[in-house]
Each structure stands twice: as structure tokens, then as C-alpha cells.
Amino acid sequence: MLGVRDLLDRLDDADDLARIDERTHWADAAFAVSAEAARANGPALLLTDAGGHARLLAGGLGGPDRLAVRSRDPWSRLGAALGLGFDAGYLDVLDALVAARHGGPVPAVEPAAATETVSDLRSLGLPAVSDTGVPSVTLGLGAHSKTADCEGDADSEDDADDERASDAVDADAVEWFPVRGSVRGSNGLRLSVPADLAADVAAGTTVSFALGTPPAALVGAIMRWVGETQVAGAPAIANVFGPVPVAATAAGVVPAESEVLVEATITDRDDGDDAGRAPETPREPWEDAMETATIEARAERVTVRENPVVPFSPTGAPMADGRALLSVIESARLYGRVNNYWGVAPVEWLALPAETGLGICLVASEILYAGFEWQLANTLFSFSRLFDKIVVLDTETRPMDLARAFDDIWVKAHPANDWEFSDSAAPAASAPYYRQDGATGANVYVNAAWDPRWDEEFIAPRVTFETMYPEALREAVRADWTDMGFDHGDEHEPRGQRGDATDGGDE
């Protein structure tokens, strides 16, 4: 099991973590510094002095963009967090997430690592991620018992212990769900949660919230609620990546290694009629993939680990953690679905690049027959509400090679013949910023793959450095490149689809 502290060690070992020990206050500087680091493709940041109990980790699950050759891929930190390694290829990460949807062994029950009680939520020093200066909850995980009647507070400490014990015996009897929100006053919470979950919690219901959970638990919670495909429960999904022990709380089990645990009572619920009651923070990307509702709660008890570490996402910044996380999770979901749809697996890879704001879907696929690209695009549009553009690529195009993918649009796709627009009444995509008003519009797919009916002699060969020039000239170029100081080592060489160093890799 990899917790947040294990992830810190792995980031440190990979020289992908910067520690900032100077005062970086949660109210303003923490977000500004982390947002700039994400925008500039910097390392993950650990802010050790943010003015509260918690140390803040930004960028722990995010990554750099793919607009230049880099030693890290956008999925490198997530791959490390899930135990797949920093050098895991893109398809290795997708395959692992597809397999995880079926769930793993029942998690073991252990005591919670968070045992130190703090005075209130505001004392944690959670970062403000908007100009309101309100402490914010990002990358949070909630827990609600599906079987126990949790109405009202426990009458005594003994009753609460009995309730925790009864919930602890069945990890599948609890729902884990993603949480985004704001802290109001000392112990108030205004939270955005999945709408179906909000429908199950009435005023007086006890729920638990965890911050700094093992990354696999957060991945499981998002996978459980994004999309319509039936998947295992979030604890079982998380346990696929390694044992994720759980600890009992009054609202069911939560990840035992969580850095912060909050037991709270629901005080009010918004069924969507009052949009003005949304949390005072920018939306997380997972909220664009589902219907959400707002709940308000009062924290009854806040416990932390010694010197806790709370990961957060600089929501709204390019390449922020939340966007990078949903990019890979939704890509894996769609990749698994379309490769099981026709009884064959034509799709080599699929990606919703975080660089494009999740509003475009790239899919490299065999074209099984003339017109297959039309079926593929329409199937993908029906499977996801996030994007309104699809680009169909040849399988030789490497994953997440944005330059090559967009170059293929101009090289292989004729605007008059290979750009297909729907009518203007297509459902509004939720990720693009220009479709945020809910209005309908047109979807478009671009067929940037060679026509399968063409003879091979009419298809232009892919020209590479290795095939264009004689060996003597290539060696001279390499020597000059090194002499000019441009040779930075093998770690900066482009990688192939599964992370291996290959000639003509994915850059």
C-alpha cells in the first residue's frame, strides 16, 4: 500500500519533489506558488510552513505537458502513486486502471493512523484556491455507510464505538466518493458531491471525510462515480493496487493511512434548486463528468497524523492534479469500453489530454472497414459527456504525442471530406469552457487515419531521422549535437508506447 508519505519518498528519490520551507501562507501564497509550478511544468511541491497544522503537497498526482521532450510523462507521478513505477508506459497505466474496475480482495481493517485531535478545521491551514481566501477542500474523499442507519449523533462515546465496529466488518457496506468544497467558519463545510450520493444523506446523517488518503483510494472513489459502467466498490478498486487497509468510523470505513479524518453531521442539502449555494471554490474536473449537488455539514471531530501531509490541487491552473487525474481515469474507462464493444480490440490507445482541458478525445485505432471511424466516434460521444471533439489517428501515432496527433490532422484529413460535424442540437459537452452555459451545439470528429481501402503504395511512408540519412551523416550530427551541449542523457530520450526507449518514440 502506497500512502501519501510513500509517494513523497518516491518523488524525492526520482528528484521530482521541491521542498519549500519558507513561509507560504495557505490564504494566498500557497495557491499562487503551486499554480505557477503546475503551469511551468515544475516538480511536485511540498510546502512545509503554510500557517496551519498541515504540510501541503501540490503536483503529487499531476505532471508536465507533452509539448516538449521531458524526462517525465503526465502520468508518471500517478503511475508511481499506484505502485506501477515512474517509468510505466501509458498503456501500462491504462491497462492497470481497466483491470482495477473489477475490484480486488476485501481490505483489511486496522486502527486509523490519525489519532491527534485538533481544535477545528480552520487550524489545519487548508489552502485557499480562489480569490475569496476561503480554506478549500480538494482531492478529498468522503465515506457514507450504505447499510447502517446513521441518522443523528451517537448518544454516547460507547454508542459511537459500537457503530464503528459494526461498520468495520464489511468494507463493501460503505460508499467512497470524491469531495470538493470550502470551510465555513471554524467547523462548517460546504461540499460538492455526486448527486446520487447527496440524495441518500438527509440532515442529521453522519458522514466521514478524509484528506491525504492513499492515492489508490482517491482513484477508486472517482472511478466509482464517473461514467455509467458498472464497477466494483471504491475500497475494492483501491485494493487492486496493493493492500489499502481501512479504519472504522461512525460513517463506515475510510482508508486507515489517511492524514486527516473528519467526522461530520449533515446540516443541509441542496437538491440543485439554489445554484448560489455552491462552494466558494473553482470546480474540480470530476464534477464535469457527473451530476453534482451541494451538502452542508458540521465537523464534530477532526483528527490528524503527526505532522500531516495534505495533497491539494491548484484547481483552474493548467496541468493541475485534478485535471491530470481525471484525464487518465476517463481515458482508461473509454479505452476499456470501446475495446469490448465490437468483440474485438481495435483501439491501440485513447487519451483525453489534460493539455486540451479534456475537451478533445484522441483515439488511435485500426480502421476495420470503411465507415468504421464514424461508428467509433459516435460510440465515444455516447459514452462520455466531457468532450465535443474526437480525432481518429493511425495506430502508429504514439500516445500523448500532441504534435504528431495534430500534425496528422493537417497531413491526412481533408477539411471537406474528413471533418464531420453533427447537427447543432448535440448535447452540450461539459469540459470545454465555451460550452459551460449548457447550450447545445455541434460535435465534430476528424478522421486523421489513412483510408483502409487505399493500396499501400499510395500511403506516404513515415520518414524518420534513421531512415532518411546515411549512418555516417547521422553520427556526425549526433557528435555536433553533443558538442553544442544538447545531449542531456538517456533519461530525456523519447519513449515508446509502453515507456521503453525506442527510435522514433512518442515525441
Side-chain angles (χ1 to χ4, degrees), residues 375-395:
Q375 289 185 322
L376 176 61
N378 279 279
T379 300
L380 286 169
F381 279 131
S382 70
F383 284 166
S384 179
R385 60 182 286 178
L386 286 174
F387 48 83
D388 57 5
K389 298 171 289 294
I390 293 174
V391 179
V392 180
L393 304 163
D394 283 313
T395 55

Side-chain angles (χ1 to χ4, degrees), residues 52-54 115-124 187 260-262 300-305 308:
H53 289 289
T115 57
E116 179 185 341
T117 302
V118 297
S119 58
D120 55 46
L121 287 169
R122 191 169 284 268
S123 69
L124 293 174
N187 282 309
V260 177
L261 292 179
V262 180
E300 308 291 350
R301 185 184 185 208
V302 182
T303 55
V304 301
R305 298 182 65 174

Side-chain angles (χ1 to χ4, degrees), residues 48-98:
T48 61
D49 184 3
H53 289 289
R55 296 176 290 166
L56 304 179
L57 173 64
L61 299 176
D65 61 47
R66 293 294 288 166
L67 302 179
V69 177
R70 305 186 192 283
S71 59
R72 292 285 178 261
D73 293 312
W75 57 86
S76 291
R77 295 170 195 163
L78 178 60
L82 298 178
L84 305 175
F86 267 100
D87 295 326
Y90 184 59
L91 289 182
D92 295 326
V93 177
L94 291 193
D95 290 339
L97 290 172
V98 170

Side-chain angles (χ1 to χ4, degrees), residues 214-235:
L218 182 59
V219 168
I222 295 175
M223 287 177 65
R224 177 69 180 84
W225 291 93
V226 171
E228 300 174 354
T229 303
Q230 296 297 315
V231 298

Side-chain angles (χ1 to χ4, degrees), residues 10 40 51 131 147 176 204 206 227 253 300 304 370 404 410 427 447 450 458 475 477 506:
R10 298 202 172 193
D131 56 9
T147 57
W176 288 355
T206 300
V253 293
E300 308 291 350
V304 301
R404 175 67 57 83
W410 319 124
N447 179 16
W450 296 122
F458 295 108
E475 286 301 320
V477 170
D506 65 342

Side-chain angles (χ1 to χ4, degrees), residues 349-351 359-365 373 376-377 380-381 387-394 397 404-410 413 418-419 444-449:
W349 59 267
L350 184 149
I360 185 170
C361 175
L362 306 180
V363 53
S365 175
E373 71 284 350
L376 176 61
L380 286 169
F381 279 131
F387 48 83
D388 57 5
K389 298 171 289 294
I390 293 174
V391 179
V392 180
L393 304 163
D394 283 313
T397 307
R404 175 67 57 83
F406 290 115
D407 185 56
D408 279 1
I409 295 177
W410 319 124
D418 299 314
W419 290 55
V444 60
Y445 82 85
V446 179
N447 179 16

